[in-house]
Amino acid sequence: MTGASRGAGRGIGAALVADGWRVYLTGRTVTDPGDGGIAVSVDHRDDDAVAALFKRVNDEQGRLDLLVNNAAAVHDELVSPKPFWDKPLELADILDVGLRSAYVASWYAAPLMVRGGRGGLIAFTSSPGSVCYMHGPAYGAQKAGVDKMAADMAVDFCGTGVATVSIWMGILLTERFRSAFDGHPDALAETAKHAETPEFTGHVINALYRDPDIVQLSGHTVIGAEIAQRYGITDVEGRQPPSHRDMMGAPREPSSVIVR
């Protein structure tokens, strides 16, 4: 689980641990992983550090069943309404830690998953920003990139039992998001009706992995809220988060054409 020290990654990791997974939780900041979690300090800009992570997983576990690519460099001014040229150039870092880092982690994970024919799942966290304008071109390119990465990696994994899926998350009730409503509990409660906890996506990923027909979804981008309905997964207090398909657009379907 990459990028698990805070926000979406922290919640997804916690849910996977609760669902019984032994999870290696990476991030530049090491936090309490909880029972079943193994916190590892990894800067996903450093390919050697990523290589060392997967060597450790192999040495300690001898296998890898699931990789969740969530690490991303999110700048404080990401949500600023300014045009991209009036924002810091560092917003483009998400194309390094976010897009390239997902490729690198998958590159190291793939041999561990393919070996022995046990199969596995590589899940990418994404959002409707891959098809609609959201937070500017750097963010949009990163999300579109991981959606396409899932599609193309599925072609290479065909016949191995390993599946790839990109998951659109909804409005996330992260610590950072909640803090924006400090002093306005009623507004937060109203917004929460249309949002989802980060843990929700973790439970969805667990269900996807355990689906015997997961290869039918391999290479596709799915909306987490819709997939949750398929598996009967609800969020806190039994709430069913809504899909924002009608408002923000639908995932692009990959072409069946393969050019090698």
Side-chain angles (χ1 to χ4, degrees):
M1 172 80 228
T2 74
S5 59
R6 62 181 180 176
R10 184 174 183 176
I12 293 169
L16 290 172
V17 168
D19 286 334
W21 287 87
R22 177 167 293 178
V23 186
Y24 287 76
L25 304 157
T26 75
R28 288 186 297 171
T29 302
V30 175
T31 57
D32 179 12
D35 293 339
I38 303 169
V40 186
S41 178
V42 177
D43 184 344
H44 282 275
R45 292 180 175 85
D46 184 345
D47 293 352
D48 291 338
V50 177
L53 165 70
F54 286 95
K55 181 180 185 302
R56 175 179 172 180
V57 171
N58 184 50
D59 290 346
E60 294 179 358
Q61 309 300 332
R63 61 187 293 174
L64 177 64
D65 300 314
L66 172 66
L67 169 65
V68 181
N69 280 311
N70 177 73
V74 179
H75 196 278
D76 288 342
E77 290 197 39
L78 176 69
V79 298
S80 167
K82 300 174 185 176
F84 76 90
W85 60 88
D86 283 337
K87 295 181 183 182
L89 184 58
E90 287 76 19
L91 265 75
D93 288 350
I94 199 170
L95 301 176
D96 183 18
V97 179
L99 185 56
R100 185 182 184 278
S101 63
Y103 183 93
V104 173
S106 301
W107 190 87
Y108 281 109
L112 303 184
M113 292 181 152
V114 170
R115 187 180 63 206
R118 291 186 302 268
L121 173 66
I122 297 179
F124 301 81
T125 58
S126 187
S127 85
S130 69
V131 298
C132 72
Y133 183 96
M134 184 179 290
H135 308 324
Y139 179 87
Q142 189 265 330
K143 296 308 179 188
V146 296
D147 287 359
K148 186 64 164 64
M149 202 174 287
D152 288 356
M153 286 183 181
V155 174
D156 287 346
F157 279 125
C158 185
T160 68
V162 178
T164 61
V165 176
S166 190
I167 303 172
W168 281 9
M169 299 184 291
I171 301 168
L172 292 180
L173 294 170
T174 62
E175 304 95 324
R176 188 175 188 176
F177 184 84
R178 291 176 187 273
S179 68
F181 290 87
D182 284 349
H184 303 280
D186 292 342
L188 175 60
E190 185 62 29
T191 301
K193 296 177 182 178
H194 310 285
E196 58 195 48
T197 67
E199 289 81 1
F200 177 72
T201 299
H203 296 309
V204 168
I205 291 171
N206 174 62
L208 282 166
Y209 174 84
R210 300 185 188 286
D211 186 339
D213 296 320
I214 182 59
V215 292
Q216 303 301 319
L217 286 175
S218 188
H220 291 268
T221 297
V222 299
I223 298 174
E226 295 177 358
I227 291 295
Q229 293 183 35
R230 172 189 296 194
Y231 298 125
I233 296 172
T234 57
D235 209 346
V236 292
E237 300 178 348
R239 191 171 52 80
Q240 187 70 61
S243 167
H244 300 294
R245 176 187 293 266
D246 291 342
M247 179 173 63
M248 294 187 173
R252 293 189 176 100
E253 282 296 309
S255 168
S256 60
V257 175
I258 298 173
V259 180
R260 296 193 185 275

